[in-house]
Amino acid sequence: MPTKISRAFKDISLSFTRHPVTNDITVLKNEDAIKKSVMNLCRTSINERFFNPLIGTRIGQSLFEINDPDIAEFLEQDIENTLNNYEPRIKVKSVNSESILDSNELNIKVEYDIVGLPLPLQNIEFLLQPSKL
């Protein structure tokens, strides 16, 4: 059965910068829009969004936990569930985390396919850090 090609994806840029020619808010397209959405979902804590408090992960609460494989597996599963539930434009292939003990940081790597677009496997890697007071 052939794969159905979807239309292009667009999201507004959350920096709210103006486009120099049109003076409209700049937009993110296709893989850039989805990449930003994946990062935002992973970095959002549960109860942080007013109109949908269920969106988010428990990563922020776990950055100071003792490093062990069970916590890493829990965080990977939490990220995967959040992305599967709230980002329908992707199909998650894998989520891996690596703890950096000295600084309580967590390196996250997510691999995913974009649904409906003939693009290669996408991956995104980012570092989660505890906030500084």
Side-chain angles (χ1 to χ4, degrees), residues 29-44:
K29 295 181 182 178
N30 294 334
E31 51 283 0
D32 291 333
I34 293 171
K35 180 184 284 190
K36 193 67 165 177
S37 175
V38 167
M39 284 179 38
N40 285 339
L41 282 170
C42 290
R43 291 180 176 184
T44 299

Side-chain angles (χ1 to χ4, degrees), residues 17-89:
T17 56
R18 288 189 322 189
H19 188 277
V21 176
T22 64
N23 280 337
D24 286 339
I25 295 175
T26 55
V27 295
L28 300 171
K29 295 181 182 178
N30 294 334
E31 51 283 0
D32 291 333
I34 293 171
K35 180 184 284 190
K36 193 67 165 177
S37 175
V38 167
M39 284 179 38
N40 285 339
L41 282 170
C42 290
R43 291 180 176 184
T44 299
S45 295
I46 293 177
N47 287 326
E48 190 173 342
R49 295 194 183 179
F50 294 117
F51 297 108
N52 197 344
L54 298 177
I55 292 178
T57 62
R58 291 177 282 260
I59 290 175
Q61 299 145 357
S62 302
L63 285 178
F64 295 106
E65 296 290 327
I66 297 172
N67 185 22
D68 66 24
D70 293 334
I71 292 174
E73 185 178 330
F74 168 76
L75 293 176
E76 291 168 4
Q77 191 64 44
D78 193 25
I79 291 170
E80 187 171 346
N81 288 340
T82 299
L83 294 176
N84 285 333
N85 290 332
Y86 297 108
E87 185 49 84
R89 302 177 290 184

Side-chain angles (χ1 to χ4, degrees), residues 1-2 10 16-17 20 39 45 62 90 106 109 123:
M1 182 163 73
K10 285 186 184 179
F16 296 107
T17 56
M39 284 179 38
S45 295
S62 302
I90 67 170
L106 191 64
K109 183 175 182 183
N123 61 31

